[in-house]
Amino acid sequence: MIFDVTAIGVLISLLMNSVNLGIVVKNMLSAGEKKLEERLVKAETKMVEYDRRIQSLEGELKHLPDRDAAHRLELAIEKMNGRLDTMAEALKPVASTNQRLQEFLLEQGQK
């Protein structure tokens, strides 16, 4: 089996062309992967940003009253309103006495 130099050159050329074809096919197939990887990296950075924002919101929500606490606050405010209404009714006679006393003093001052 004696190989001719031209036959060896043809085999080497065929081998190199096969390798080049394989590289071209790989590059064509991996072009989509690169785009997907870029999109994945962008999505991961957005997810990290959203995670931080959610954590900060959760931290702020911990300080707010829950449903039961808000209901207790409403009841306490209604109780205070009732007491203020009672005080307003109790102060009406005092206000009318003050009004009469002021009128009396003005009449005395005019004489």
Side-chain angles (χ1 to χ4, degrees):
M1 280 203 11
I2 299 175
F3 287 105
D4 190 14
V5 175
T6 57
I8 293 175
V10 169
L11 287 175
I12 291 174
S13 174
L14 181 63
L15 180 66
M16 295 297 280
N17 284 337
S18 299
V19 169
N20 284 337
L21 180 64
I23 290 173
V24 167
V25 169
K26 180 188 171 279
N27 285 339
M28 286 174 55
L29 293 176
S30 68
E33 281 182 26
K34 289 178 184 176
K35 289 180 183 177
L36 286 175
E37 187 174 338
E38 289 174 6
R39 289 176 58 194
L40 181 64
V41 168
K42 286 181 185 177
E44 285 177 346
T45 56
K46 282 289 188 184
M47 284 179 52
V48 168
E49 178 186 335
Y50 291 146
D51 185 46
R52 288 182 186 146
R53 290 175 63 189
I54 288 171
Q55 285 177 354
S56 66
L57 287 173
E58 286 175 345
E60 290 298 321
L61 288 176
K62 286 180 184 176
H63 302 297
L64 296 176
D66 60 354
R67 181 178 167 194
D68 294 332
H71 183 66
R72 288 192 303 270
L73 286 171
E74 288 174 1
L75 292 177
I77 289 172
E78 283 300 317
K79 188 175 181 181
M80 285 174 45
N81 282 339
R83 289 181 179 172
L84 287 174
D85 291 341
T86 303
M87 283 179 54
E89 287 297 319
L91 290 176
K92 281 184 181 178
V94 175
S96 63
T97 303
N98 271 348
Q99 183 68 29
R100 287 192 306 256
L101 183 59
Q102 183 179 5
E103 289 172 4
F104 174 75
L105 290 173
L106 285 175
E107 289 175 5
Q108 292 298 321
Q110 287 177 357
K111 289 184 183 178

